[in-house]
């Protein structure tokens, strides 16, 4: 075993009882050292496992990012190659199509962001997103405008004009 001190062996004449006592003492010391080593090894094993899991998560995220960037690069190269092979009219049309697709994607991304913000607000009522705060402020302003208008006695209904038929 590692780290266990062994009693020095002597060639002097000792009685068998003394040898047995020394062996018992060394055996009990070894057992206590083994117990301590087991506990230390278990702690080290747990720490190693946690570190490995963290490294795996980091490695996986880095790998995903690399794959994503490679995919984007391949798509860009494919678009550039396709454009170089087209005539002027087709290339221009292709460019406009890609611009439209990018605009749609931006709108969708914006909607997803808003959804995430609203879901975060539902989960954490104290943490309100900027969009939600703006929405609440606008609702409050509209209510105030409506209340002020009703206080004046005005109405939004159109009056029917009476036709004078004589």
């Amino acid at each position: 075993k590692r780290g266990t001190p062994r009693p020095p062996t002597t060639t002097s004449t000792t009685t068998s009882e003394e040898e047995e006592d020394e062996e018992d003492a060394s055996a009990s010391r070894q057992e206590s050292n083994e117990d301590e080593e087991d506990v230390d090894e278990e702690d080290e094993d747990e720490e190693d496992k946690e570190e490995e899991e963290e490294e795996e998560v980091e490695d996986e995220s880095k790998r995903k990012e690399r794959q994503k960037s490679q995919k984007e690069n391949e798509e860009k190269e494919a678009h550039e190659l396709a454009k170089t092979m087209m005539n002027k009219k087709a290339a221009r049309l292709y460019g406009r199509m890609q611009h439209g697709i990018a605009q749609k994607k931006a709108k969708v991304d914006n909607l997803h962001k808003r959804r995430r913000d609203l879901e975060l607000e539902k989960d954490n009522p104290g943490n309100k997103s900027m969009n939600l705060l703006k929405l609440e402020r606008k609702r409050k302003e509209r209510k105030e405008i409506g209340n002020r208008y009703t206080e004046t006695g005005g109405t939004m209904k159109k009056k029917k004009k009476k036709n004078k038929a004589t």
Side-chain angles (χ1 to χ4, degrees), residues 2 9-10 12 15 21 24 39-41 48 64-65 70 73 88-89 95 119 128 152 154 161-162:
R2 289 183 276 150
T9 56
T10 57
S12 65
T15 62
D21 289 339
D24 290 340
V39 172
D40 291 341
E41 288 177 6
D48 290 342
K64 285 182 181 179
E65 289 176 12
Q70 285 177 348
N73 289 339
K88 185 177 180 180
K89 184 178 181 181
E119 287 175 355
K128 294 187 178 182
T152 60
K161 292 184 179 180
K162 296 181 182 178

Side-chain angles (χ1 to χ4, degrees), residues 141-156:
E141 289 174 2
R142 287 187 197 119
K143 266 189 178 177
E144 290 174 1
I145 292 171
N147 289 338
R148 279 188 274 153
Y149 187 76
T150 55
E151 289 172 2
T152 60
T155 179
M156 295 292 287

Side-chain angles (χ1 to χ4, degrees), residues 1 20 23 25 31 36 56 69 75 86 89 125 145 159:
K1 299 285 181 178
E20 289 178 9
E23 289 177 4
E31 288 177 7
E36 291 174 6
E56 288 175 5
S69 64
E75 288 177 8
M86 296 179 192
K89 184 178 181 181
I145 292 171
K159 294 182 180 179

Side-chain angles (χ1 to χ4, degrees), residues 54-157:
E54 290 175 3
E55 290 174 1
E56 288 175 5
V57 170
E58 291 175 6
D59 292 341
E60 188 174 320
S61 63
K62 287 179 183 178
R63 184 172 35 91
K64 285 182 181 179
E65 289 176 12
R66 260 188 269 118
Q67 287 177 349
K68 189 175 182 180
S69 64
Q70 285 177 348
K71 208 178 226 185
E72 289 174 358
N73 289 339
E74 290 174 3
E75 288 177 8
K76 285 180 183 178
E77 290 174 7
H79 287 295
E80 290 173 8
L81 182 62
K83 255 189 162 177
T84 57
M85 300 300 290
M86 296 179 192
N87 59 21
K88 185 177 180 180
K89 184 178 181 181
R92 203 173 150 162
L93 177 63
Y94 182 77
R96 289 182 176 183
M97 287 170 51
Q98 295 304 315
H99 180 69
I101 291 169
Q103 283 182 331
K104 287 180 186 177
K105 187 174 189 272
K107 286 180 183 178
V108 169
D109 290 341
N110 187 25
L111 290 172
H112 283 296
K113 181 180 177 268
R114 287 173 60 190
R115 177 182 285 170
R116 276 194 313 269
D117 290 345
L118 290 173
E119 287 175 355
L120 286 175
E121 161 51 30
K122 287 179 185 177
D123 294 341
N124 302 323
N127 297 336
K128 294 187 178 182
S129 66
M130 292 301 291
N131 289 335
L132 189 60
L133 291 171
K134 182 179 177 183
L135 179 69
E136 289 176 352
R137 181 177 51 83
K138 292 283 188 180
R139 283 182 182 162
K140 186 178 177 182
E141 289 174 2
R142 287 187 197 119
K143 266 189 178 177
E144 290 174 1
I145 292 171
N147 289 338
R148 279 188 274 153
Y149 187 76
T150 55
E151 289 172 2
T152 60
T155 179
M156 295 292 287
K157 295 181 181 177

